[in-house]
Amino acid sequence: MNAAEVTQSRTRVGRAIARARKPNRDHMEALKKRMPFWFVFTTLFVLAAWQILLNPFGFSSVIQRYTQDISDLLITGPFYPTSGHDQISVALTEEDTLQALNEPWPWSYGAHARLLDALLAYKPRAVIVDYLFVDNRNDDTLADLVTEIHRYQAAHIPIYFEGGRDVPFGEAPLRPEIAATGVPVLDPSILVNNGVVRQYPTTGECFGLHRAGKQCLSLALSVYRSLAKRDAHIPPLQVNTDGLMELVWGTNTDPYNRKWRTVTGENGATLSCDDHMGFFSRIFAAFFDADSVRQRCPYATILPVEELVKGVNDPDFPKIIPGRVIFYGAALEGAQDKSFTPVSGLQANVFVHAMALDNLLTYGGKPEQDVVTLFGKTYESDPVQVAAIAPVILILSWLHMRRKRRAETKNAKHHDVSATVEYFLDKGLEMAWHWLAFFLALGAGLALTLAVGLSVANWVEVVFVSVELAAMLLIGVPDALWGYLHHVAGGVPDLQQT
């Protein structure tokens, strides 16, 4: 490059910098009319991808989890089917149970054996023991528990125990005497997201000979797979273990809990589980006072343990134990085995496992997840959301260009429309434009749920971003950006060519 060319190049750069610092607004307005379709689409697509993929300021995460909670409280929770619920019950040991039975804690192995024996008499489908038996404490009744396990095995009723993870003094995950019976030992881990249980693991630690360090199915998935192998009416498990389950929490009050169970309110008052709230009141409270919408009692059917142990002939037991999967766990103060749930506040972790199995039974072994599998490959939700929003942006961009050309044609014909009519037409168009973006994105999200099982939490951002992009089109962000960039690059408007 010779000196003249260098000088010319520097001059062009200098003029571009000058135009960037002090743009000619008339030129920019004229150049906006030349904006091509590809620029509108590219601008909106880049903005959408930036928000979805890079999660600026944590905006995406907040939207996902907040919407998931609201959905559980208002949509998926109230309309959640009862097919899974009607196959699960929870035998729950509480402080009142210990007082009623005059038993200390921890219970003896014999006390656990008596409870399990009472359940066995009603022939449940399976029993999951949600206690950790890792301490090598002296207890002569350990043989009673071992004998009870053998009784379950003889009756061909599956019984599962949980293994301890990261035990502090190097104990075995399960007492060797219990493990020697051959009972399946499952990983009881759960996931807490910002203090709330919204997801459930698909894999966990393996316990048993020659399995250390490997990954097995998590507790609820292991139980479901076992049930599907035993019962031809239960569909096989279809879960992508590269991702997580997105829990859907039911909110309808269990009819048996409503009959007998009470809770103590913050003011010490005794309250029933029947806390029905009107539809419109529920919507208002979900956004402004979520605590008032949460259920007082857990979703799963609860069995009174003290009545089982005492042998009380409860007329409801033949309805809520036989043929059901029974989770046997505890909700004791100081046990540190509770987690906060979106729909019923702080609850024992046994209800988390019960809800996960409920989801699997309700959705036929194919629950909602945070990943999708397409053509044999697994994708996280963010790239799928970007792909889903692309056709929405395509339609919005095309309609924006049509609206822009129509406005230019109208101005060229000098239509005489009153300012009042023009104002209301513009406001009506603005509202319709936002609703169009909302329903286009909502349709794309629902298609993802129906086609690939992606949960609401993992596509809801498509809706928020689409409405945001529609607002940008209304105020002319791509138009202004094109006019400015074209002007800085040296574009010559039509007014200078004539």
Side-chain angles (χ1 to χ4, degrees):
M1 184 180 294
N2 55 37
E5 291 175 334
V6 171
T7 302
Q8 184 178 6
S9 175
R10 289 178 177 174
T11 303
R12 285 200 299 268
V13 172
R15 286 199 295 266
I17 293 175
R19 288 192 294 269
R21 295 176 60 186
K22 294 183 179 181
N24 186 312
R25 297 190 180 279
D26 292 334
H27 287 190
M28 289 169 54
E29 287 296 321
L31 290 170
K32 284 165 57 174
K33 299 178 181 179
R34 296 186 187 177
M35 181 181 64
F37 170 82
W38 66 262
F39 183 81
V40 181
F41 176 84
T42 302
T43 301
L44 297 184
F45 185 80
V46 169
L47 287 172
W50 173 68
Q51 291 193 49
I52 294 173
L53 295 176
L54 299 183
N55 190 21
F57 313 112
F59 180 70
S60 299
S61 302
V62 171
I63 285 179
Q64 288 179 356
R65 297 308 159 197
Y66 175 75
T67 306
Q68 186 177 16
D69 293 351
I70 293 297
S71 175
D72 278 332
L73 288 170
L74 296 180
I75 304 172
T76 55
F79 297 102
Y80 182 70
T82 60
S83 52
H85 169 273
D86 296 338
Q87 302 179 60
I88 296 172
S89 295
V90 176
L92 193 66
T93 303
E94 302 174 276
E95 302 290 346
D96 292 344
T97 309
L98 302 180
Q99 185 176 13
L101 297 176
N102 193 25
E103 287 275 0
W105 190 258
W107 271 5
S108 67
Y109 294 112
H112 289 291
R114 289 195 298 274
L115 186 281
L116 291 173
D117 190 59
L119 289 173
L120 181 61
Y122 287 97
K123 300 188 184 312
R125 179 185 286 184
V127 174
I128 299 97
V129 180
D130 187 40
Y131 292 93
L132 292 179
F133 296 107
V134 297
D135 296 327
N136 293 319
R137 57 189 170 95
N138 294 323
D139 188 338
D140 295 337
T141 65
L142 177 59
D144 296 340
L145 181 56
V146 171
T147 300
E148 191 61 39
I149 293 171
H150 287 313
R151 292 191 64 197
Y152 271 80
Q153 293 168 336
H156 302 290
I157 295 177
I159 183 169
Y160 305 85
F161 279 72
E162 295 178 354
R165 295 189 58 176
D166 304 321
V167 288
F169 303 108
E171 302 96 333
L174 181 65
R175 283 202 66 157
E177 298 88 343
I178 301 176
T181 63
V183 293
V185 185
L186 307 179
D187 187 341
S189 300
I190 62 171
L191 297 175
V192 179
N193 184 299
N194 291 331
V196 183
V197 177
R198 303 182 178 97
Q199 296 174 304
Y200 191 81
T202 56
T203 60
E205 185 176 339
C206 292
F207 300 103
L209 189 63
H210 306 307
R211 305 176 75 181
K214 297 182 180 179
Q215 288 291 301
C216 292
L217 292 177
S218 58
L219 188 149
L221 273 67
S222 295
V223 174
Y224 181 88
R225 184 179 63 177
S226 176
L227 295 174
K229 289 180 178 179
R230 294 167 57 90
D231 189 342
H233 294 94
I234 298 179
L237 184 66
Q238 302 177 63
V239 172
N240 192 324
T241 54
D242 291 329
L244 303 173
M245 278 180 56
E246 296 285 358
L247 289 176
V248 178
W249 289 89
T251 60
N252 294 322
T253 303
D254 179 271
Y256 297 101
N257 294 348
R258 186 185 296 120
K259 289 171 59 176
W260 71 274
R261 189 168 177 81
T262 60
V263 293
T264 302
E266 294 182 357
N267 58 357
T270 300
L271 305 171
S272 72
C273 286
D274 192 5
D275 49 354
H276 178 72
M277 180 180 290
F279 177 73
F280 293 105
S281 299
R282 189 177 187 86
I283 292 177
F284 177 84
F287 287 97
F288 299 102
D289 186 16
D291 287 340
S292 65
V293 187
R294 294 190 176 97
Q295 304 300 107
R296 295 175 187 153
C297 298
Y299 175 72
T301 304
I302 301 175
L303 306 176
V305 167
E306 57 270 24
E307 293 189 10
L308 277 168
V309 174
K310 290 180 178 179
V312 175
N313 188 20
D314 191 313
D316 288 331
F317 283 169
K319 305 173 186 176
I320 57 180
I321 300 180
R324 289 198 177 199
V325 178
I326 309 298
F327 284 84
Y328 170 42
L332 300 173
E333 297 299 327
Q336 297 182 350
D337 192 31
K338 295 182 179 181
S339 297
F340 198 87
T341 66
V343 300
S344 52
L346 191 65
Q347 298 294 340
N349 286 339
V350 65
F351 292 106
V352 178
H353 296 302
M355 198 71 243
L357 182 60
D358 190 316
N359 278 195
L360 290 166
L361 291 169
T362 299
Y363 297 127
K366 191 177 181 180
E368 294 184 355
Q369 290 196 256
D370 64 344
V371 296
V372 299
T373 301
L374 298 172
F375 308 109
K377 292 186 177 181
T378 301
Y379 299 92
E380 295 183 355
S381 61
D382 287 348
V384 176
Q385 287 189 94
V386 173
I389 204 173
V392 176
I393 294 174
L394 192 68
I395 295 172
L396 290 177
S397 301
W398 178 73
L399 292 174
H400 177 70
M401 295 300 292
R402 282 182 57 88
R403 184 168 62 92
K404 181 179 174 65
R405 294 192 187 98
R406 191 170 297 173
E408 292 173 356
T409 303
K410 183 181 68 174
N411 291 335
K413 293 181 179 180
H414 303 292
H415 284 184
D416 186 17
V417 181
S418 70
T420 302
V421 173
E422 189 75 27
Y423 173 81
F424 283 107
L425 286 175
D426 288 344
K427 288 300 179 183
L429 177 62
E430 180 178 336
M431 182 177 296
W433 189 252
H434 281 95
W435 280 109
L436 172 66
F438 174 81
F439 282 112
L440 284 174
L442 187 62
L446 292 175
L448 289 175
T449 295
L450 297 175
V452 295
L454 197 66
S455 73
V456 174
N458 289 282
W459 59 254
V460 70
E461 195 175 3
V462 172
V463 178
F464 282 88
V465 173
S466 296
V467 174
E468 176 189 323
L469 297 180
M472 289 183 177
L473 289 175
L474 278 175
I475 62 177
V477 171
D479 308 62
L481 183 60
W482 171 263
Y484 176 76
L485 294 177
H486 200 181
H487 173 59
V488 171
V492 180
D494 294 337
L495 59 88
Q496 290 189 352
Q497 292 179 336
T498 58

